């Protein structure tokens, strides 16, 4: 009976994984990539959310996980119902933004609770991540030749997921190569496992500039940091330089910077970001008068505007503006706040920006404590850290705080939380 339970739960986990990571490409075949709200995508997202809820109900055991979920729901309820008067339907729909963070850690903790579950799960995960990496090659090439380098090159994840795809490729490849590499024979190991290096290739065919940072740190963290570190780095440097040069060549030859959607009139800064940070009305007037189409405020400019918003709308600093800012559509209507500040919320929203606006200072503290707990609470059977993997995860966490709200997407979180849990090993084992 235990085997059947483990088997069903593991199957459901990977069904959720493949639905989250492959539905987008299929949807783009039927609808255009612009149609993020296609029926197929919407239904797939709903099924994945239901799988996460069901798996959590079946697997949650640790009191700490229960406490984090209950406290987040409490904060969200106070923000939604008391501070912002959200409807129950809008609130539940908005809470889905946090489902990956709320539910994936306790699910994975279940598989790490016994050696039997862990070993079978890891064996399956390794195979499926390898398949996932290979699937990106034909799908990315197809998208590249059809749409050109850009946001539509999201591989199996589909259009608008190019950034998540790049992170997913680097971290999946790093995890698999990290298990196979002989750190005393770095170059020979890279040669033997050349396919995992080759599978980084799709990240050179979209416009995610962050890939250049990820690939450099990818090779740096393959090696243990010890007395021989400088020697290893010297041997590896030509490989890193070659790959970065290839990536730079493909990027510069395929991406048309003139078509970048982040272009912004310099007057935007001159008129209010530099001179009038305390004048939100001027910022709104400027956006309405000068931008008839989608207005994508740069990431760091959004952080500069947050104090202006809280100053103009007092009483929201602690608990934010509720969960209706980024989850709405035809059925669940956008909030009054979104309708007023859509120019600010459209485009790329850094994770930290989204948390602050939705749940305020209290929610942000919860969010930081939650991620810290992932490094403090060790699986009892696997207390040894793989420092290289955890350092790579911390890099992603810091980047994403100021880059985009990737943690709200299951396709990103399935891979990244699995990566983090794979960084916990048994005592006495070699770091691998």
């Amino acid at each position: 009976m235990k085997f059947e339970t483990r088997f069903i739960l593991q199957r459901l986990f990977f069904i959720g994984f493949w639905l989250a990571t492959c539905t987008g490409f299929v949807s783009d075949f039927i609808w255009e990539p612009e149609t993020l709200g296609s029926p197929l995508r919407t239904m797939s997202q709903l099924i994945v959310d239901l799988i996460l809820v069901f798996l959590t109900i079946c697997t949650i055991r640790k009191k700490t996980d229960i406490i984090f979920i209950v406290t987040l729901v409490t904060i969200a309820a106070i923000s939604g119902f008391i501070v912002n008067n959200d409807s129950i339907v809008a609130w539940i729909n908005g809470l889905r933004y946090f489902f990956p963070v709320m539910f994936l850690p306790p699910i994975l903790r279940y598989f790490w609770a016994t050696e039997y579950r862990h070993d079978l799960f890891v064996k399956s995960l390794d195979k499926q991540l390898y398949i996932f990496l290979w699937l990106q090659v034909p799908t990315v090439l197809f998208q590249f030749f059809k749409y050109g380098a850009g946001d539509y090159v999201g591989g199996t994840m589909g259009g608008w997921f190019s950034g998540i795809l790049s992170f997913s490729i680097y971290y999946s490849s790093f995890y698999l190569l990290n298990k196979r590499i002989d750190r005393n024979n770095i170059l020979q190991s890279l040669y033997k496992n050349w396919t995992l290096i080759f599978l980084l290739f799709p990240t050179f065919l979209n416009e995610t500039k962050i890939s250049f940072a990820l690939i450099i740190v990818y090779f740096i963290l393959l090696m243990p940091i010890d007395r021989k570190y400088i020697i290893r780095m010297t041997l590896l440097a030509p490989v890193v330089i070659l790959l970065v040069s290839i990536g730079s060549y493909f990027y510069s030859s395929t991406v048309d910077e003139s078509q970048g959607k982040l272009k912004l009139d310099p007057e935007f800064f001159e008129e209010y970001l530099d001179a009038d940070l305390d004048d939100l009305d001027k910022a709104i007037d400027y956006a309405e008068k000068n931008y008839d189409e989608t207005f994508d405020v740069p990431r760091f400019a959004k952080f500069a505007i947050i104090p202006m918003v809280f100053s103009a709308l007092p009483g929201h600093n602690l608990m934010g503006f509720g969960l209706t800012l980024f989850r709405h559509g035809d059925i669940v209507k956008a909030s009054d706040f979104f309708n007023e500040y859509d120019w600010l919320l459209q485009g790329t929203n850094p994770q930290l920006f989204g948390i602050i606006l939705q749940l305020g200072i209290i929610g942000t503290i919860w969010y930081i404590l939650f991620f810290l707990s992932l490094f403090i609470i060790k699986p009892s059977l696997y207390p040894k850290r793989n420092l290289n993997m955890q350092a790579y995860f911390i890099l992603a966490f810091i980047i994403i705080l100021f880059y985009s709200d990737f943690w709200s997407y299951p396709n990103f979180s399935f891979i990244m939380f699995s990566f983090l849990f794979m960084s916990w090993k048994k005592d006495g084992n070699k770091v691998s």
Side-chain angles (χ1 to χ4, degrees), residues 221-409:
L221 289 178
L222 279 175
M223 298 173 291
I225 302 175
D226 55 22
R227 287 177 295 179
K228 298 180 180 179
Y229 183 73
I230 300 299
I231 298 175
R232 295 191 185 102
M233 278 300 300
T234 303
L235 293 173
L236 192 59
V239 178
V240 177
I241 293 171
L242 176 63
L243 288 172
V244 172
S245 300
I246 293 172
S248 299
Y249 170 77
F250 274 100
Y251 183 86
S252 60
S253 62
T254 58
V255 176
D256 184 359
E257 291 288 356
S258 66
Q259 300 300 315
K261 63 184 178 64
L262 296 182
K263 283 181 64 179
L264 198 64
D265 192 329
E267 292 182 7
F268 175 84
F269 294 95
E270 295 174 7
E271 293 220 8
Y272 67 90
L273 280 185
D274 286 340
D276 296 295
L277 282 175
D278 59 340
D279 191 346
L280 185 59
D281 290 334
K282 201 167 192 177
I284 297 173
D285 290 341
Y286 184 84
E288 291 176 346
K289 290 177 182 177
N290 292 277
Y291 294 89
D292 296 326
E293 299 178 358
T294 300
F295 178 58
D296 195 352
V297 180
R299 293 176 178 91
F300 285 99
K302 292 191 175 191
F303 287 105
I305 295 173
I306 288 177
M308 301 160 60
V309 174
F310 282 130
S311 177
L313 301 170
H316 293 269
N317 302 58
L318 288 178
M319 305 303 297
F321 296 95
L323 304 183
T324 60
L325 306 188
F326 305 110
R327 289 288 191 273
H328 49 76
D330 295 333
I331 298 176
V332 180
K333 299 301 181 183
S335 65
D336 292 338
F337 180 90
F338 180 88
N339 292 330
E340 178 71 19
Y341 296 96
D342 60 332
W343 58 272
L344 175 63
L345 300 175
Q346 288 176 357
T348 304
N349 291 299
Q351 193 76 59
L352 187 59
F353 171 83
I355 300 297
I356 293 172
L357 278 188
Q358 289 182 93
L359 297 180
I361 296 172
I362 301 298
T364 303
I365 292 173
W366 179 95
Y367 189 80
I368 300 298
L369 290 176
F370 165 77
F371 273 93
L372 284 175
S373 75
L374 297 177
F375 296 94
I376 296 172
I377 303 172
K378 305 176 181 180
S380 57
L381 298 178
Y382 302 89
K384 186 179 179 64
R385 301 174 191 272
N386 182 319
L387 294 176
N388 297 59
M389 290 182 66
Q390 293 199 359
Y392 206 26
F393 183 91
I394 291 172
L395 173 71
F397 173 71
I398 293 172
I399 289 174
I400 292 162
L401 283 178
F402 305 98
Y403 186 72
S404 190
D405 56 349
F406 288 169
W407 291 113
S408 66
Y409 293 96

Side-chain angles (χ1 to χ4, degrees), residues 83-95:
V83 178
N84 295 289
N85 298 315
D86 293 336
S87 69
I88 183 67
V89 174
W91 182 82
I92 293 174
N93 188 60
L95 190 63

Side-chain angles (χ1 to χ4, degrees), residues 409-428:
Y409 293 96
N411 51 4
F412 177 79
S413 297
F414 266 107
I415 290 174
M416 294 303 294
F417 279 124
S418 296
F419 179 91
L420 177 61
F421 271 78
M422 286 305 307
S423 72
W424 294 106
K425 302 294 181 179
K426 279 185 178 180
D427 268 331

Side-chain angles (χ1 to χ4, degrees), residues 144-171:
F144 171 74
F145 287 114
K146 184 173 182 179
Y147 305 114
D151 290 338
Y152 294 161
V153 183
T156 57
M157 298 180 184
W160 300 106
F161 286 110
S162 58
I164 288 180
L165 176 71
S166 292
F167 271 91
S168 300
I169 288 174
Y170 279 104
Y171 280 79

